Amino acid sequence: MKVLVLNCGSSSIKYQFIDTNEKVALAKGVVERIGMSSAVLSHSRYDGDGIKIVGEILDHTIAIEYVLGVMMSKNHGVIDDKEDIEAIGHRVVHGGETFSDSILITDDVMQVLQDNIELAPLHNPPNIKGIQAVKRLLPDAPQVAVFDTAFHTQMPPKAFLYGIPYELYKKYKIRRYGFHGTSHLFVSRRAAEILGKNIDELKIVTAHLGNGCSMAAVDKGKSVDTTMGFTPLEGLLMGTRSGDLDPSLILYIMGKEGLSLSEANTLLNKHSGLIGISGESSDMREILAAANEGHKRSRYAFEIFAYRVKKYLGSYAAVMGGLDAFVFTGGIGENSPEVRAEVCKDLEFLGIEIDEKRNKNKEEIISKDSSRVPVLRIPTNEELVIAMDTSKIVENKTVKKEEAQPVR
Ligand code: ADP
């Protein structure tokens, strides 16, 4: 099946057009600066052909219209007709407690997504806009929602409840949800494949380190704990997000600096993390460069970043009662030997021995042969998971429809 995968943010849309039989992307790209007169569409095709278009793209519908246009264009396209897009798979950030699996989008599902906006005010509205835009442009194409939270819905209450009055969980659904689920699912399955083992026998810790960062404890293929919480702010240090902190310091800072709720939110989400500590950059490449040149605050940022990953690795090995594999993924996890080496330093007691050369050469397995716990570097592919889920759901629906036909 040919599936268009969309990841709609507030001012950007990332897309991939995937052939699920071949498991390859026929085209991919991104529309950035939606809402501005100088929006940019960057599109590339499987054969390396690429094009950049700059224009006024005022909303998500126009952006997707541009994407369809370039996908059908004579010189850069991959399809002749819109009808060649058999289904659309959307990355939806928050499924709340309702969605533990991907789902075909119906009016009822849309209603629940609307109801969940309060849980993800920044993320779910653009996801909904994307779905509505596709409905306008491709009214007959089935659409599927794949949730970032779904993989974590089987966490036990001891992992997802916070130490606050239980009534608040019941009243406002305040609990740990976890995010990046599609990525943790993909790389944990892939690790089992690479190791030639059954996922049901493995205790795996996965570290998705990108601009947003999270880790998951994956026991027998299920996420039993994860570092992000009620929102994607908790846990690891990130590009601009603080991660874990003492909750009372927020109130203290608000009092001292006279911050409003929204200013405090911005402080923790946009001005903290790597950028907050270093004062230099939210980009790990720049942090590493500055740290290597002796910039003290960038060195702290790098060390805190790696320290937190190490801390959660240890705690997840403890909660699972063992560790069979450790996986790095995401822009930093996949590309930074320095971060991987710092995280894995002095972990021989846990069975982790990094091979310096394999780590530098970006091999799939970066630990020594003697390492009891293999350490892997696996490029994530959330889009492929979304496309595969979409095709599975849409094909099932078609089968069910046929089954529902009266026998003549
Ligand atoms: P997002 O979470 O937005 O999808 P990515 O997964 O692409 O982001 O990760 C972006 C991060 O990856 C940035 O901090 C960037 O500095 C980092 N990164 C990319 N390449 C490298 C590299 N070679 N070395 C260190 N960090 C890198």
XYZ file of all heavy atoms in Angstrom, residues 14 208-212 282-285 288 330-332 335-336, ligand 1:
141
model
N 6.023 17.637 8.405
C 6.983 16.697 7.825
C 6.169 15.601 7.150
O 5.130 15.192 7.690
C 7.859 16.080 8.909
C 8.843 17.044 9.514
C 9.800 16.288 10.441
C 10.564 17.257 11.308
N 10.779 16.821 12.667
N 15.964 7.668 23.252
C 15.717 8.514 22.074
C 16.231 9.906 22.416
O 15.626 10.630 23.215
C 14.214 8.534 21.746
C 13.881 9.417 20.586
N 13.432 8.934 19.384
C 13.958 10.766 20.444
C 13.265 9.938 18.547
N 13.567 11.063 19.179
N 17.369 10.267 21.826
C 17.999 11.547 22.151
C 18.005 12.446 20.918
O 18.828 12.267 20.006
C 19.439 11.303 22.645
C 19.613 10.233 23.734
C 21.088 10.041 24.075
C 18.816 10.585 24.989
N 17.063 13.370 20.867
C 17.010 14.327 19.762
C 16.899 15.716 20.361
O 17.543 15.998 21.380
N 16.104 16.589 19.751
C 15.825 17.861 20.427
C 15.026 17.588 21.685
O 15.280 18.131 22.748
C 15.058 18.793 19.495
C 15.989 19.444 18.500
O 17.080 19.900 18.861
N 15.584 19.473 17.238
N 14.014 16.719 21.529
C 13.315 16.172 22.695
C 13.986 14.846 23.004
O 14.440 14.156 22.090
N 21.217 25.189 21.732
C 20.420 24.013 22.098
C 20.849 22.820 21.256
O 20.287 21.738 21.364
C 18.938 24.306 21.863
O 18.719 24.539 20.478
N 21.819 23.048 20.389
C 22.240 22.026 19.435
C 23.472 21.302 19.980
O 24.488 21.934 20.267
C 22.581 22.731 18.102
C 22.832 21.739 16.991
O 23.694 20.858 17.162
O 22.171 21.858 15.948
N 23.367 19.984 20.115
C 24.453 19.218 20.735
C 25.780 19.387 19.991
O 26.846 19.400 20.608
C 24.055 17.740 20.844
C 25.044 16.885 21.567
S 25.500 17.490 23.230
C 24.260 16.729 24.259
N 25.729 19.541 18.665
C 26.981 19.724 17.911
C 27.722 20.971 18.390
O 28.934 20.960 18.582
C 26.700 19.852 16.413
C 26.413 18.536 15.753
C 25.812 18.724 14.417
N 24.465 19.297 14.532
C 23.533 19.190 13.593
N 23.798 18.571 12.487
N 22.334 19.722 13.774
N 29.100 20.526 21.944
C 30.341 19.737 21.944
C 31.520 20.576 21.477
O 32.601 20.545 22.086
C 30.189 18.518 21.024
C 29.357 17.372 21.613
C 28.950 16.384 20.531
C 30.147 16.674 22.706
N 17.713 8.650 17.728
C 17.470 10.105 17.681
C 18.720 10.819 17.166
O 19.811 10.210 17.100
N 18.576 12.080 16.796
C 19.676 12.846 16.188
C 20.974 12.770 16.975
O 22.053 12.574 16.405
N 20.900 12.896 18.298
C 22.114 12.833 19.130
C 22.531 11.380 19.336
O 23.702 11.022 19.161
C 21.870 13.520 20.498
C 21.508 15.000 20.293
C 23.073 13.358 21.406
C 21.091 15.731 21.565
N 24.093 10.010 16.175
C 25.233 10.690 15.543
C 26.366 11.125 16.451
O 27.375 11.619 15.960
C 24.729 11.940 14.799
C 23.793 11.563 13.684
O 24.123 10.728 12.856
N 22.602 12.142 13.675
N 26.187 10.999 17.758
C 27.244 11.528 18.619
C 28.002 10.443 19.384
O 27.561 9.986 20.447
C 26.654 12.538 19.617
O 27.663 12.940 20.504
P 13.958 16.144 16.684
O 13.798 15.719 18.113
O 13.551 17.551 16.431
O 13.434 15.133 15.680
P 16.587 15.152 15.945
O 16.281 13.749 16.346
O 16.867 15.428 14.515
O 15.529 16.195 16.476
O 17.884 15.583 16.798
C 18.393 16.866 16.781
C 19.633 16.875 17.656
O 20.593 15.985 17.101
C 20.313 18.242 17.775
O 20.658 18.501 19.106
C 21.590 18.053 16.944
O 22.626 18.807 17.455
C 21.858 16.586 17.205
N 22.826 16.062 16.229
C 22.654 15.860 14.899
N 23.832 15.424 14.356
C 24.730 15.363 15.360
C 26.115 15.001 15.460
N 26.808 14.610 14.401
N 26.718 15.087 16.666
C 26.033 15.498 17.750
N 24.731 15.840 17.734
C 24.094 15.781 16.555
